[in-house]
Amino acid sequence: MHYKQNHIYVGLDLHKDTHTAVIIDCWNEKLQTIVIENKPSDFTKLLNKVKKVAGNLTPVFGLEDVHGYGRSLAVFLLEKEQIVKEVNSALSYSERMSYPTTKKSDDWDAQCIANVLVRMLEKLPDANPLDLYWTIRMLVNRRNAIVKSITTLTNQLHGQLCNNYPSYKKFFSDVNSKTALVFWENYPSPHHLKGVTDEDLAELLRKPSHNSCSTRKAKTILEIVESDGDTLREYQEARDFIIQSIVRDIRFKSEEIEKVEAEMKKLLALLEFKLETIPGIDTVTATTLVAGIGDINRFRNADKLARFAGIAPVNFSSAGKGKDKQSKQGNRQLYATIYFLAVQQIQVSKGKKTPRNQAFLEYYNRKVSEGKTKVQALICVMRRLVNIIYGMMKNKTEYVMPTVELKEAV
């Protein structure tokens, strides 16, 4: 008897509110469809129904998303010592599109997942929804959401300030810096500055600016406001309130980011990775890398990680003719993180003309001199970074800067 005949296969199409399960045998014959709600009490019902259909056979569950809507079910099944496989959504999509007549429904999606489960049983990875990596990923998503919200609020602040202070961009280098926010909150429009002296304004701004705001700077701001002319309009008080409300919201969200980053640092310390020892990597970047990569032990080598991130080239050929091309697949968020990290490694300071990482800059220049384009050379830097990151996470070691002769960048 073939080993696949010892199992029944349960494909699950996962959603926020409900999950649809389709049970098939090793011959791809549909046995039953089960629809449950996404809650623990229904997970028990699903398992009991599957066991009833299975009889003496061993059920194998296939889930597309074990880190999102299907995570709770995956954890439940693993706690019940069931076989749970993670099915890549690209495989189920390919299965669905392989039929002459394509269709889309929860029932059909679940059956396609089950079909993939039968065909690729020995190749599919075991589901491993680790709580720590899942929580880190949620923190990264939370921080990204707050940053996006601050960007929206900053754009709204620009829209309000241009009416009250036509030359507001000359006041501060960053419109939502701590010093600028104090100014906008106390003086949302020019008429609030009546009777305010240079020293009064400088005294207000010294604390948030850490004593970097001088009386001369305050005088310059007041002169610019005076040269802009009178911007007082009807319902000015309501518009002033809008500016002050935006400032309070930006300040609150900035404080939330600091709290989220503190929690990131706390969880990152539990993994004992030393990614921050690489130049250009702080706690946020290190956490983003860990969230994108997950458990490093699921990759047998750095080549697998590079393919997962979409950095490894893909071969396109036919009849012996073709070439390797840049991949557009893989985890694009992880790709973007490694891309910007690679850019930082070859950066050169404007003043002293010294590179951040001399070894990577020389490697980049060597690839360019070999005939590669700048984009291709940068991808080579990314590929080398993957090797380094993989080794550091696998062995929990620090980054050691290669000893090279320091040269001034041209």
Side-chain angles (χ1 to χ4, degrees):
M1 180 187 296
H2 196 276
Y3 73 95
K4 288 187 178 181
Q5 293 179 257
N6 297 322
H7 303 284
I8 63 165
Y9 303 87
V10 186
L12 284 134
D13 186 41
L14 309 167
H15 296 283
K16 181 179 180 180
D17 298 320
T18 62
H19 299 330
T20 301
V22 170
I23 307 172
I24 65 174
D25 58 21
C26 65
W27 314 110
N28 286 27
E29 291 294 329
K30 185 176 178 181
L31 303 178
Q32 190 173 343
T33 300
I34 304 171
V35 179
I36 62 167
E37 292 185 34
N38 186 13
K39 58 184 182 181
S41 58
D42 272 25
F43 297 164
T44 304
K45 295 178 184 178
L46 169 66
L47 186 57
N48 291 337
K49 289 180 181 179
V50 170
K51 286 182 175 179
K52 186 176 180 180
V53 175
N56 296 326
L57 302 178
T58 304
V60 179
F61 296 85
L63 287 74
E64 267 189 347
D65 186 6
V66 298
H67 303 290
Y69 293 142
R71 183 185 175 278
S72 298
L73 177 58
V75 171
F76 171 83
L77 293 172
L78 289 171
E79 288 175 348
K80 298 298 181 180
E81 299 181 347
Q82 299 299 305
I83 302 174
V84 185
K85 295 288 185 177
E86 185 173 355
V87 180
N88 192 301
S89 57
L91 296 174
S92 57
Y93 175 80
S94 178
E95 173 73 16
R96 189 167 67 246
M97 300 302 291
S98 66
Y99 292 86
T101 303
T102 58
K103 53 183 177 179
K104 184 79 170 68
S105 67
D106 293 346
D107 183 275
W108 180 240
D109 288 349
Q111 186 167 342
C112 287
I113 294 170
N115 292 342
V116 173
L117 200 57
V118 174
R119 191 176 70 252
M120 304 183 67
L121 178 62
E122 66 281 358
K123 294 182 179 180
L124 293 174
D126 294 328
N128 190 24
L130 298 175
D131 285 344
L132 180 54
Y133 292 100
W134 176 68
T135 306
I136 288 174
R137 191 176 296 110
M138 294 300 102
L139 281 173
V140 171
N141 291 341
R142 173 59 182 158
R143 186 186 181 281
N144 290 341
I146 299 175
V147 170
K148 187 176 181 179
S149 178
I150 289 179
T151 302
T152 301
L153 289 169
T154 303
N155 291 336
Q156 292 176 5
L157 185 60
H158 278 289
Q160 295 296 324
L161 291 175
C162 67
N163 296 316
N164 293 349
Y165 293 101
S167 302
Y168 72 96
K169 291 184 179 180
K170 298 178 182 179
F171 296 0
F172 309 100
S173 58
D174 189 358
V175 74
N176 61 356
S177 65
K178 289 183 179 180
T179 308
L181 292 179
V182 169
F183 182 85
W184 309 134
E185 187 173 30
N186 285 272
Y187 309 114
S189 58
H191 77 273
H192 290 280
L193 288 167
K194 287 183 178 179
V196 176
T197 64
D198 304 348
E199 188 56 45
D200 292 337
L201 182 58
E203 183 65 28
L204 175 70
L205 301 181
R206 279 195 185 104
K207 185 176 180 180
S209 66
H210 303 288
N211 293 324
S212 64
C213 185
S214 62
T215 306
R216 182 178 178 182
K217 173 67 175 179
K219 182 179 179 181
T220 302
I221 292 175
L222 292 176
E223 288 175 352
I224 294 173
V225 172
E226 184 69 25
S227 65
D228 283 342
D230 185 19
T231 59
L232 184 65
R233 295 292 181 271
E234 197 174 2
Y235 309 113
Q236 187 66 52
E237 185 178 348
R239 289 195 296 277
D240 292 348
F241 169 79
I242 293 173
I243 291 176
Q244 292 170 330
S245 175
I246 293 172
V247 167
R248 288 192 296 270
D249 208 357
I250 290 176
R251 186 178 288 123
F252 169 75
K253 286 180 168 53
S254 298
E255 292 172 355
E256 283 300 302
I257 285 183
E258 292 178 1
K259 293 177 183 177
V260 171
E261 290 178 357
E263 196 66 25
M264 283 179 170
K265 193 168 187 177
K266 192 187 303 181
L267 291 184
L268 198 61
L270 298 176
L271 293 169
E272 299 181 350
F273 295 144
K274 299 177 176 62
L275 294 173
E276 295 101 321
T277 57
I278 299 178
I281 291 188
D282 56 6
T283 300
V284 175
T285 308
T287 309
T288 304
L289 283 170
V290 172
I293 295 171
D295 184 10
I296 194 64
N297 294 313
R298 65 195 181 116
F299 302 103
R300 290 200 300 270
N301 50 51
D303 294 342
K304 298 294 183 183
L305 177 57
R307 180 60 59 88
F308 174 76
I311 296 171
V314 178
N315 182 264
F316 289 89
S317 62
S318 180
K321 297 179 180 180
K323 61 180 180 178
D324 292 338
K325 293 185 178 181
Q326 183 180 354
S327 174
K328 297 295 184 181
Q329 303 170 358
N331 187 321
R332 304 316 292 173
Q333 291 182 336
L334 180 59
Y335 180 96
T337 303
I338 298 174
Y339 173 85
F340 286 114
L341 181 58
V343 171
Q344 290 180 16
Q345 298 308 303
I346 62 174
Q347 280 181 340
V348 178
S349 63
K350 293 182 179 179
K352 296 182 179 179
K353 299 292 183 180
T354 55
R356 170 172 283 178
N357 192 318
Q358 180 71 26
F360 270 114
L361 181 60
E362 288 192 2
Y363 178 70
Y364 171 80
N365 290 332
R366 186 168 74 248
K367 290 299 177 182
V368 172
S369 65
E370 290 173 359
K372 294 185 181 297
T373 65
K374 291 184 178 180
V375 173
Q376 291 171 336
L378 188 61
I379 292 174
C380 291
V381 173
M382 293 170 64
R383 184 64 182 84
R384 178 159 288 191
L385 271 172
V386 168
N387 290 345
I388 294 171
I389 291 169
Y390 178 84
M392 290 177 63
M393 293 181 68
K394 194 79 171 179
N395 304 305
K396 297 183 179 180
T397 53
E398 294 185 3
Y399 177 76
V400 179
M401 182 75 76
T403 304
V404 294
E405 183 181 351
L406 187 62
K407 300 177 182 178
E408 185 177 286
V410 179

